[in-house]
Amino acid sequence: MILFKKAKDLDKWLETRKKNNHLVGFVPTMGALHAGHTSLIETAKQENSVSVCSLFVNPTQFNNSKDFQKYPITIENDIAMLEIAGCDVLFLPSVQEMYPDHISPKIHYNLGYLETVLEGKFRPGHFQGVCMVVQRLLEIVKPDNLYLGQKDYQQSLIITKLAELINVDDKIKINIRPTLRENDGLAMSSRNMRLKEDERKKASTIYQSLLFIKDTIKKGNLTQVKQKAQALLEQAGFKTDYVEIADAQNLSLITDWDGEQKIVALIAAYINEIRLIDNMALN
Ligand code: AMP
C-alpha cells in the first residue's frame, strides 16, 4: 500500500493510472477501522483496478467538541488492517492539507428537507461539514466508484444529493453497501470502542428494537410500534434522540403506512455519553 499525505502527490499518482483507463474505487473514512470499513475496501478492490481509502477525522462535521476530542485514533492498527485488506492507496491528510483556506465554510450546501430531519435535526451543521470534506475528497481523488455504508443511511442520501449539487453525479457511481454487525447484532462502529463492558452488553438493544419494529409493523398507524421500540431502549438505559420510520428514498417521516411504500426504521440513542445510530430496511 502506498501512503500519501499531500493531495497533489496523490493526484499526480492517480493521474497516470487514469490515463491507462484504470478504474478508481474510493472509500472515505474517519479511521478507527473495523470490518465494516474493510468490507467496503474489499468491494472497491474487486470492482476497480485501484482502491483508495482516506483517513481523516473531519473537524467540521462534529457539532459536539467532546465527541471530536474523544473520537478514537488508531492509525497504526488502521494501516495494518488496510494492508491485510489489500488496499492500494491510503490518503492520510492533515487538517491544513484538507482545508488550506482554514475551516470556515465558504459555501452553504442547499440540502433541503434532508438536512432538517433525524441526524440533521439533532446534529445541526453536521451535514454541511460532511459535504465540505466529501467535496474536497472527491475533487482530489476523482473516483469512478464511491463506496458508502448503509450504516449511515441519511449520510449516503446526503452525499448522493451533494454529487448532484456539485455536478459529479454522471461521473461518480455511488455504491451503498450493507451494514456489518457484531454477533449480537450491534452495528460495527468506531464509537463502539468507547463503550465500557456493561454499556457494550446493552448496546445490542438498538438492533433488537429495529428487529422488533420489523417483526411487528403492520399497515396503518405506526405510533404504537415506535413507542414500544423506544420503551425497549429506555428500559436498557438508553436516552433516545429518535426512533423513526421514514420513506426509504427521501426520509419523509411516516405516521400512517399503506403497507406498500418502501420504508426504513432509524434510531439514534445515547448510552451514557456515547451516541450510537443504526437503521434497518423494513420491506
Ligand atoms: P466512518 O469512518 O464512520 O465515517 O465511516 C466510513 C464509511 O464506512 C461510511 O461510508 C460508513 O457508512 C461506513 N461504515 C461505518 N460502519 C459500517 C458498518 N458497520 N458496516 C458497513 N459500513 C460501515
Side-chain angles (χ1 to χ4, degrees):
M1 182 171 71
I2 312 178
L3 191 157
F4 291 96
K5 292 193 169 182
K6 300 283 177 204
K8 71 171 184 347
D9 296 339
L10 172 60
D11 182 56
K12 211 164 118 195
W13 189 90
L14 285 171
E15 208 43 53
T16 50
R17 267 58 197 179
K18 285 175 191 155
K19 274 190 193 134
N20 294 321
N21 287 330
H22 285 187
L23 280 184
V24 175
F26 179 41
V27 180
T29 81
M30 297 209 298
L33 301 184
H34 49 68
H37 296 117
T38 50
S39 72
L40 299 179
I41 307 280
E42 280 153 15
T43 311
K45 229 186 125 52
Q46 282 158 17
E47 297 181 353
N48 302 272
S49 27
V50 180
S51 52
V52 180
C53 175
S54 65
L55 196 165
F56 178 64
V57 185
N58 174 33
T60 66
Q61 73 185 69
F62 285 84
N63 55 312
N64 175 336
S65 59
K66 234 184 181 174
D67 189 28
F68 176 54
Q69 282 152 18
K70 294 199 170 171
Y71 200 83
I73 295 181
T74 60
I75 291 179
E76 279 178 26
N77 190 55
D78 293 346
I79 291 176
M81 285 181 74
L82 290 172
E83 294 272 15
I84 293 168
C87 182
D88 298 308
V89 172
L90 169 60
F91 182 45
L92 186 65
S94 63
V95 172
Q96 166 65 25
E97 188 65 17
M98 287 302 285
Y99 298 117
D101 305 327
H102 305 290
I103 56 178
S104 56
K106 277 187 292 204
I107 332 171
H108 178 84
Y109 297 91
N110 186 4
L111 302 168
Y113 166 79
L114 262 187
E115 199 187 11
T116 65
V117 280
L118 306 167
E119 292 303 281
K121 177 173 166 191
F122 284 91
R123 300 185 67 187
H126 167 63
F127 287 129
Q128 291 295 319
V130 168
C131 287
M132 259 175 99
V133 78
V134 173
Q135 176 171 8
R136 173 95 173 109
L137 286 168
L138 294 181
E139 283 168 0
I140 296 168
V141 180
K142 303 181 202 70
D144 300 285
N145 281 300
L146 177 67
Y147 296 87
L148 304 171
Q150 191 197 314
K151 160 79 170 42
D152 298 281
Y153 195 93
Q154 189 171 7
Q155 173 172 278
S156 54
L157 296 182
I158 290 273
I159 293 176
T160 305
K161 171 120 193 176
L162 170 72
E164 288 165 20
L165 289 175
I166 62 174
N167 296 317
V168 294
D169 51 326
D170 56 340
K171 299 182 193 81
I172 303 175
K173 179 165 179 254
I174 298 182
N175 304 272
I176 299 167
R177 306 287 308 161
T179 304
L180 260 71
R181 299 180 178 280
E182 304 288 355
N183 287 337
D184 65 353
L186 174 66
M188 290 183 183
S189 163
S190 305
R191 289 187 174 84
N192 294 352
M193 286 180 199
R194 293 183 51 207
L195 295 170
K196 298 192 187 90
E197 204 181 323
D198 59 322
E199 294 169 340
R200 172 64 191 83
K201 278 190 191 142
K202 291 174 182 165
S204 65
T205 313
I206 297 188
Y207 177 66
Q208 285 150 20
S209 303
L210 290 168
L211 274 185
F212 169 80
I213 295 174
K214 188 169 175 141
D215 292 344
T216 51
I217 194 163
K218 289 198 295 278
K219 117 186 195 181
N221 190 281
L222 304 179
T223 310
Q224 254 199 2
V225 72
K226 287 193 284 184
Q227 280 172 350
K228 284 185 181 164
Q230 181 161 349
L232 283 177
L233 285 161
E234 285 167 3
Q235 277 154 25
F238 278 91
K239 192 179 131 317
T240 56
D241 267 355
Y242 56 81
V243 174
E244 278 297 353
I245 297 170
D247 179 280
Q249 281 188 340
N250 60 26
L251 290 186
S252 63
L253 303 181
I254 312 286
T255 36
D256 276 291
W257 183 44
D258 62 6
E260 298 289 326
Q261 194 174 1
K262 291 269 179 234
I263 51 175
V264 58
L266 306 107
I267 290 178
Y270 281 90
I271 182 125
N272 299 325
E273 268 193 6
I274 300 162
R275 187 174 185 276
L276 300 175
I277 60 169
D278 200 355
N279 64 82
M280 191 178 280
L282 299 178
N283 55 339

